Amino acid sequence: MNQQWNMVSRFIGSMVVIGPMVFHANNAAAHVFPRKESPAAGATVEAPAEVSIRFDGPLEPSFSTLTVSDSSGKRVSTGDAKVDPQQPTDLSVKLPSLAPGHYTVQWAAVASDGHRTHGDYPFDVK
């Protein structure tokens, strides 16, 4: 009986340690995050024609958004963000000719399984 209790006890102990790690790994895999931004976060660039972000997993086009605002908070991006049908990890939005200044990119990415992440980052136009 004591040997059986030791085996059960070790099994329960390992589940207490391993269980949260498995849950965390599955939970993290369900979200998408930026891998590469263009222009890059914090960059100073010539006026770009668009802003694009490549994510680490496929996006749900109907619910993923990308906008660009100027320093006063006014939206300057034109039209809706688009997910590239050939590369479903890429989200982009067109820009008009931007004047020199400070701009903020706001993004919301919905993974193909429905999980949402969001964020923002600045860039400057010289």
Side-chain angles (χ1 to χ4, degrees):
M1 180 73 172
N2 195 19
Q3 186 177 7
Q4 288 176 331
W5 176 248
N6 278 340
M7 289 177 63
V8 169
S9 181
R10 276 190 256 155
F11 175 76
I12 291 171
S14 65
M15 287 297 98
V16 168
V17 171
I18 294 172
M21 289 189 284
V22 170
F23 173 76
H24 180 70
N26 287 339
N27 193 28
H31 296 82
V32 291
F33 295 95
R35 287 183 49 204
K36 181 181 180 189
E37 300 100 357
S38 179
T44 299
V45 297
E46 299 290 334
E50 73 174 16
V51 167
S52 63
I53 302 176
R54 174 163 287 171
F55 290 86
D56 60 3
L59 301 170
E60 176 54 52
S62 301
F63 302 107
S64 298
T65 62
L66 180 61
T67 60
V68 180
S69 303
D70 64 17
S71 60
S72 68
K74 179 182 172 203
R75 182 178 173 168
V76 297
S77 49
T78 56
D80 292 330
K82 304 282 186 215
V83 172
D84 183 342
Q86 303 303 313
Q87 188 66 40
T89 57
D90 292 1
L91 182 64
S92 64
V93 68
K94 299 292 183 196
L95 298 173
S97 181
L98 297 179
H102 186 75
Y103 296 88
T104 301
V105 176
Q106 297 94 16
W107 59 269
V110 177
S112 57
D113 66 359
H115 287 91
R116 182 178 188 271
T117 53
H118 61 92
D120 59 72
Y121 70 88
F123 73 93
D124 292 301
V125 172
K126 53 182 167 181

